[in-house]
């Protein structure tokens, strides 16, 4: 009888960037980790859309800007890749990588279903952490970044005294509790500890919340939670 459990399968990652040097650097960085395997890479939108479904990664690291902005996504071609891949592979976690701190791109990426958004100035350990974070089903969006997305969602003329979003009416009181903790950036394990629930129970409730809100990612649910919290005062 084999008493030694089989080692966990490595985390499968795909890289999209139109600069070969960047792709090599990200690949070398990630493959230096024993638990991460880069299963493919692409230099443009067409290659990515053909190759990603074939190799079935868990995480796709996508450059926001590709090929000088000549494709259908303009300057944010990588975000369109995210949108199309997520439509085909809802389980895929997309981590957007960019050289520019661009509020419009950030907003568009979140609405396209990206799980995280980081600048290329991030250090190596930070990028590895971001990949592992989104692979675990968590969002990679710091509170300052989340507040900028919320400001964009509200727009310049929206009043914070309006009633809470109607989609919240679909949630049970316990689901609203979980949603508020998602908005605080807590993981499933941390939510379970806070509410004295099993982690599997929290995972099931999070899935139900996403379905009721009509969103595909925790980070989008967090945006709803933040708006709800601000409107309550």
């Amino acid at each position: 009888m084999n008493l030694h459990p089989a080692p966990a399968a490595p985390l499968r990652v795909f890289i999209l960037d139109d600069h070969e040097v960047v792709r090599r650097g990200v690949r070398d960085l990630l493959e230096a980790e024993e638990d991460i395997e880069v299963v493919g890479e692409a230099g443009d939108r067409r290659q990515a859309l053909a190759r990603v479904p074939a190799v079935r990664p868990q995480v796709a690291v996508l450059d926001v800007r590709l090929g000088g902005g000549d494709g259908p996504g303009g300057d944010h071609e990588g975000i369109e890749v995210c949108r199309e891949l997520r439509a085909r592979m809802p389980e895929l976690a997309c981590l957007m990588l960019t050289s520019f701190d661009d509020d419009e791109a950030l907003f568009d990426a979140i609405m396209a279903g990206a799980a995280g958004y980081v600048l290329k100035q991030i250090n190596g350990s930070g990028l590895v952490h971001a990949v592992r974070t989104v692979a675990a089903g968590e969002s990679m969006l710091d509170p300052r970044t989340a507040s900028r997305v919320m400001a964009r969602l509200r727009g310049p003329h929206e009043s914070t005294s309006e009633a809470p979003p109607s989609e919240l009416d679909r949630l049970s009181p316990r689901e609203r509790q979980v949603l508020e903790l998602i908005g605080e950036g807590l993981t499933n394990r941390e939510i379970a500890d806070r509410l004295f629930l099993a982690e599997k129970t929290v995972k099931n409730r999070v899935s139900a919340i996403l379905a009721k809100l009509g969103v595909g990612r925790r980070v989008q649910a967090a945006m709803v939670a933040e708006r709800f919290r601000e409107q309550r005062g």
Side-chain angles (χ1 to χ4, degrees):
M1 182 174 64
N2 183 9
L3 299 178
H4 300 287
L11 174 59
R12 297 166 59 82
V13 179
F14 190 95
I15 302 166
L16 168 63
D17 198 293
D18 57 351
H19 292 95
E20 181 184 1
V21 171
V22 174
R23 292 199 309 273
R24 283 190 181 185
V26 174
R27 174 187 279 275
D28 290 347
L29 177 69
L30 296 179
E31 289 197 326
E33 303 295 319
E34 292 184 358
D35 62 333
I36 296 178
E37 176 187 4
V38 176
V39 295
E41 60 181 67
D44 59 38
R45 175 177 177 272
R46 179 186 58 79
Q47 292 175 350
L49 295 179
R51 295 174 184 175
V52 171
V55 297
R56 309 299 296 184
Q58 294 154 275
V59 177
V61 179
L62 308 175
D63 185 18
V64 169
R65 295 172 181 254
L66 296 171
D70 296 329
D75 286 343
H76 299 160
E77 185 81 350
I79 295 173
E80 290 307 308
V81 173
C82 171
R83 195 186 313 279
E84 293 189 48
L85 288 177
R86 290 272 302 150
R88 299 185 198 179
M89 304 168 59
E91 73 283 1
L92 178 67
C94 293
L95 178 65
M96 308 309 300
L97 192 60
T98 181
S99 301
F100 304 93
D101 192 5
D102 181 341
D103 281 1
E104 182 179 353
L106 168 62
F107 177 83
D108 289 346
I110 298 305
M111 293 301 102
Y117 187 98
V118 295
L119 296 176
K120 287 183 178 178
Q121 292 90 322
I122 193 171
N123 61 30
S125 61
L127 181 59
V128 171
H129 171 71
V131 167
R132 289 185 176 132
T133 297
V134 299
E138 310 295 342
S139 63
M140 191 65 197
L141 200 64
D142 60 67
R144 182 183 66 86
T145 303
S147 68
R148 287 159 54 195
V149 175
M150 284 311 305
R152 172 69 182 270
L153 281 172
R154 287 195 302 269
H157 305 297
E158 183 177 332
S159 169
T160 58
S161 62
E162 295 177 2
S166 59
E167 58 263 33
L168 290 173
D169 295 338
R170 305 172 195 154
L171 304 185
S172 69
R174 177 63 98 180
E175 287 171 341
R176 289 195 184 199
Q177 281 184 303
V178 173
L179 178 62
E180 288 195 28
L181 296 177
I182 291 174
E184 292 178 18
L186 272 63
T187 65
N188 286 351
R189 181 182 296 275
E190 290 167 338
I191 293 173
D193 291 343
R194 182 79 65 90
L195 298 181
F196 303 102
L197 297 171
E199 187 173 354
K200 184 176 181 181
T201 299
V202 172
K203 183 178 180 180
N204 291 339
R205 288 191 183 273
V206 170
S207 296
I209 290 167
L210 297 183
K212 289 182 179 182
L213 295 180
V215 298
R217 305 294 310 181
R218 284 175 76 102
V219 68
Q220 293 169 310
M223 297 301 101
V224 176
E226 179 67 17
R227 182 170 51 169
F228 179 45
R229 184 161 52 247
E230 290 188 0
Q231 289 174 345
R232 288 193 314 176

